[in-house]
Amino acid sequence: MPLRVGIVGLPNVGKSTLFNALTRANVAVACYPFTTIEPHIGVATVPDARLDALAQLIKPTKVVPATVQFVDIAGLVRGAHRGEGLGNQFLAAIREMDALAIVLRCFENPDVPHVSENLDPIADLGVLDLELSLADLATVERRIERTKSAAKSNPKAYEWELSTLTRLRDHLATGQLARTFVPAPAAGHASKAEGGGEDATRALLHELFLLTYKPRLLVANVAESALPDGGPLAARVLEAAAQEGSQAIVLCAECEAALVEWPPEEAAVYRAELGLNEPGLDRLVHASYRLLDLITFFTVTGGEVVRAWTLRRGLTAWHAAGQVHSDIQRGFVRADVIRWDELLAAGSLAHARETGRLRSEGRDYVVQDGDVIHVHFVA
């Protein structure tokens, strides 16, 4: 499954403009609420100079970058948890995402009305957080009722779960996010049924698909004139992200949407004039990777295809094989591994093998960012 990042925010903050820039998709953009009714899905490639360098060395017929799937989700409004403004539909779409990119408006434009009287990205973030927390509260309350019913026949088996759900409900009822919920210490046990603990609590939170438990990236959408730093409103967004331990970036969605249509060389010159050393879109994609603690590994197939793959940090060669194909994972024998820069230094896979730089690893080898991997398997 591809990484799915939902682009979320209040109406008229630049979500669809940013989506268009990311995916070069022809999605409707207009300055009135609910231009986006159904979520739009687009795929953005992950810029990676290492893949380009490997392609220069191997000279394959095909180069396949890693990708991130971005989903343009219609603007949330106050009361969304009660279904206001098509809220139920939008909240359901958010629930399916791996992470959220929350776009916060940090630009003045009298031609694009804002949903509130004053432009305040932190207040807007508060509206979003409240709606998502209240939606999570409803989810938890429904789970409590089901658990109470199940506990009638065996109260002891559900004691920890009910206690944790009740604490979580009280936490959300104060407007706090699920991601700030502190698990109770384990009673000397590891499982939910036996006493819980941090791992069991995390498993329960994942199982509930809570909106405020998802990793999130704050995107300060600023005017072009405020680049590169974004101005005082963007500074408040960066400060809020630092306080909550989230990622944050500053960009101008309108500018990025225009520059994707320019010749690359001219766009690079213009960005340099604005004080930007790389496209805001690249920073957004890379930030999404960091948000979910992802790494990239590469495969070279018969010298014909060089491809980048996405993997969660800490997973093994066996998991990497599964990313390539389930049959390869099932028949895994061993993996030939070399770092991308070591391969460049060797000049070819053949020379890397001759000089002992290409090493053999088993299924439990923990894949490192930038590894080039060839899996041997039996069909």
Side-chain angles (χ1 to χ4, degrees):
M1 287 290 291
L3 166 66
R4 289 166 61 89
V5 178
I7 302 176
V8 179
L10 299 180
N12 296 344
V13 297
K15 299 183 307 301
S16 293
T17 302
L18 178 60
F19 177 82
N20 286 351
L22 280 165
T23 63
R24 291 177 171 83
N26 185 25
V27 175
V29 182
C31 56
Y32 53 87
F34 314 124
T35 304
T36 306
I37 303 300
E38 294 291 337
H40 296 282
I41 300 174
V43 176
T45 60
V46 178
D48 197 324
R50 300 170 301 180
L51 179 65
D52 299 335
L54 289 171
Q56 286 291 323
L57 174 68
I58 305 296
K59 294 181 172 47
T61 57
K62 187 177 182 180
V63 179
V64 183
T67 60
V68 176
Q69 198 175 87
F70 284 93
V71 183
D72 180 23
I73 299 171
L76 291 176
V77 296
R78 195 181 301 274
H81 71 283
R82 298 190 302 269
E84 298 289 340
L86 303 179
N88 291 334
Q89 182 179 349
F90 303 158
L91 292 171
I94 295 172
R95 207 173 298 279
E96 298 173 359
M97 299 298 108
D98 296 302
L100 304 179
I102 299 180
V103 182
L104 299 168
R105 178 169 170 171
C106 298
F107 64 89
E108 297 276 3
N109 187 337
D111 296 327
V112 182
H114 193 43
V115 293
S116 59
E117 185 175 336
N118 299 315
L119 185 60
D120 184 342
I122 304 306
D124 292 350
L125 180 60
V127 171
L128 290 166
D129 282 346
L130 179 59
E131 293 302 322
L132 297 180
S133 292
L134 291 173
D136 283 348
L137 178 60
T139 298
V140 172
E141 287 176 337
R142 288 192 295 270
R143 176 61 175 263
I144 288 175
E145 293 307 310
R146 291 198 300 271
T147 304
K148 283 181 177 178
S149 297
K152 289 177 181 178
S153 59
N154 189 356
K156 188 67 176 177
Y158 292 92
E159 182 178 350
W160 174 85
E161 184 171 329
L162 270 176
S163 173
T164 301
L165 288 169
T166 301
R167 290 179 57 244
L168 178 58
R169 178 196 63 194
D170 296 344
H171 179 82
L172 293 168
T174 64
Q176 299 183 78
L177 311 182
R179 65 203 303 267
T180 64
F181 179 66
V182 179
H189 302 286
S191 71
K192 290 191 295 183
E194 295 175 336
E198 288 191 22
D199 289 345
T201 301
R202 280 194 292 268
L204 178 60
L205 291 169
H206 279 295
E207 185 181 328
L208 291 168
F209 293 101
L210 298 179
L211 305 174
T212 63
Y213 190 62
K214 293 183 180 296
R216 67 187 199 172
L217 165 71
L218 303 186
V219 181
N221 186 17
V222 306
E224 183 178 323
S225 59
L227 293 171
D229 297 328
L233 291 179
R236 294 181 63 197
V237 173
L238 296 177
E239 181 181 359
Q243 289 176 350
E244 68 175 42
S246 294
Q247 301 268 342
I249 64 168
V250 176
L251 54 74
C252 173
E254 186 175 27
C255 179
E256 296 292 343
L259 288 177
V260 295
E261 304 297 335
W262 289 27
E265 297 80 8
E266 294 181 19
V269 170
Y270 190 69
R271 286 193 184 94
E273 292 175 356
L274 294 173
L276 304 173
N277 55 15
E278 67 174 329
L281 306 181
D282 290 6
R283 289 187 288 115
L284 176 59
V285 172
H286 289 146
S288 300
Y289 249 52
R290 293 193 301 273
L291 189 65
L292 291 170
D293 203 17
L294 300 174
I295 63 171
T296 300
F297 71 93
F298 306 96
T299 57
V300 178
T301 307
E304 297 297 317
V305 180
V306 174
R307 180 165 183 166
W309 302 85
T310 301
L311 193 69
R312 293 193 184 276
R313 190 181 304 277
L315 294 185
T316 66
W318 184 79
H319 293 103
Q323 290 289 92
V324 178
H325 200 284
S326 58
D327 288 346
I328 296 177
Q329 184 182 54
R330 193 160 35 247
F332 186 99
V333 175
R334 72 178 192 279
D336 293 336
V337 181
I338 184 172
R339 281 185 50 83
W340 72 278
D341 51 351
E342 291 180 342
L343 177 54
L344 292 182
S348 69
L349 280 169
H351 191 248
R353 185 176 290 105
E354 292 169 2
T355 56
R357 297 183 184 183
L358 189 68
R359 61 189 189 278
S360 180
E361 300 285 359
R363 59 181 285 150
D364 294 330
Y365 167 74
V366 177
V367 177
Q368 302 299 304
D369 189 33
D371 278 349
V372 180
I373 300 176
H374 176 72
V375 177
H376 297 267
F377 69 102
V378 292

